[in-house]
Amino acid sequence: MSAKDFTQMALEMNFVNHVLPSGGVSGISYMAWRLNKFGIPAGRATMANIVRFAMTFAAFISLVLVAVVIITIDGNINRWIIFASFSLVLASLVAGVVGVYILSSRHRMWKTADRVVRYGNRIVRRLTFGRKKRTFRYSEVEKFFTEMHFDYVALRRDRNILVRPFLWGIAYTLGDVLLYLLTFWAMGIFFNPAPLLIAYGVAGMAGLLVITPGGAGAFEAVMISFLAVAGISQGEAIAGVILTRVILLLGTIGLGYVFYQKAILKYGQYDPRRK
């Protein structure tokens, strides 16, 4: 696949994540649908997204550890910032260990598939008031999780595959944080950038836990509060964070919508020959 195709799909996924309230799940589902047009199975597409998330988190955690060292040396930083940083690192490590524990065993993957089918169909029945009896079929879900397991085994055999995603995760994180920093600098506000990196991560975690599109509201509130605790005045934190978020959302939604509509027109039209 060409870099052009990947860039276009990345913008489409960002658009979907920011307009649908799902904590990033809708973007993963959308990418599975889009990659299927290139002959990539849903399990492999989902595994690729999991690797992307995992390597981005690994890169972020590495940067947070550096930031914590810088903050510890700086005696003017509130010690609650250090506590929040280590809590974020610990939560990420626990989530990673649980994910590896499930993925490393085909038996555990099958048990997970069984739970997804049982609880998924139960939730759908309740949401549709019993009109839709079964949405998830075990054979399809089991195949999906088995594909993910085999991809995980392949990654364990050749861990060098993860090096480039990890390096791109560092570039992605630094680029995102740099945009906030440049906004503050443009407003004449200068401070230690280490707390900004940690605030970005904590706010991102909070954004995944709420159902608003793109974590809007929770992301800004958490990041502003964190920066205020770090010693930045509340007014400056509000101005810098809100302005950056507006720029990000306008760019993401504007560009993403164009490519999303293009993809829908090309692949999403109803075909009466389908059953």
Side-chain angles (χ1 to χ4, degrees), residues 24-185:
V25 176
S26 51
I28 295 176
S29 302
Y30 178 80
M31 283 298 285
W33 173 74
R34 281 290 276 117
L35 289 169
N36 180 257
K37 308 305 177 183
F38 292 88
I40 299 173
R44 174 155 292 183
T46 303
M47 190 62 184
N49 272 288
I50 291 174
V51 170
R52 181 177 66 87
F53 275 119
M55 289 301 98
T56 301
F57 265 112
F60 171 73
I61 294 305
S62 301
L63 293 171
V64 165
L65 292 175
V66 175
V68 168
V69 173
I70 296 173
I71 287 174
T72 305
I73 294 172
D74 186 350
N76 296 323
I77 298 295
N78 191 308
R79 289 297 179 263
W80 282 105
I81 302 296
I82 300 175
F83 172 76
S85 305
F86 278 114
S87 299
L88 181 62
V89 171
L90 181 62
S92 301
L93 290 176
V94 170
V97 169
V98 171
V100 169
Y101 175 76
I102 295 173
L103 285 168
S104 60
S105 167
R106 194 189 305 185
H107 178 68
R108 285 192 287 269
M109 293 294 281
W110 287 344
K111 288 180 67 175
T112 303
D114 180 64
R115 292 191 183 97
V116 168
V117 172
R118 285 191 289 113
Y119 292 114
N121 285 330
R122 188 180 302 173
I123 292 171
V124 170
R125 280 196 299 269
R126 290 182 178 179
L127 292 175
T128 60
F129 300 100
R131 289 194 297 270
K132 199 170 183 63
K133 300 296 182 183
R134 187 173 67 170
T135 300
F136 300 96
R137 289 175 170 78
Y138 181 79
S139 60
E140 297 175 357
V141 177
E142 186 268 337
K143 178 184 176 184
F144 172 83
F145 279 100
T146 300
E147 289 172 353
M148 290 179 61
H149 169 72
F150 284 137
D151 283 337
Y152 168 78
V153 172
L155 285 172
R156 285 194 62 179
R157 289 174 182 163
D158 186 8
R159 294 184 177 88
N160 291 331
I161 294 174
L162 302 176
V163 173
R164 289 179 66 185
F166 175 78
L167 294 176
W168 277 111
I170 289 179
Y172 164 80
T173 303
L174 290 177
D176 240 14
V177 173
L178 185 59
L179 181 57
Y180 285 92
L181 197 59
L182 288 173
T183 303
F184 278 105
W185 286 350

Side-chain angles (χ1 to χ4, degrees), residues 188-205:
I189 304 169
F190 301 92
F191 53 85
N192 185 344
L196 180 62
L197 173 66
I198 300 170
Y200 169 82
V202 174
M205 293 287 285

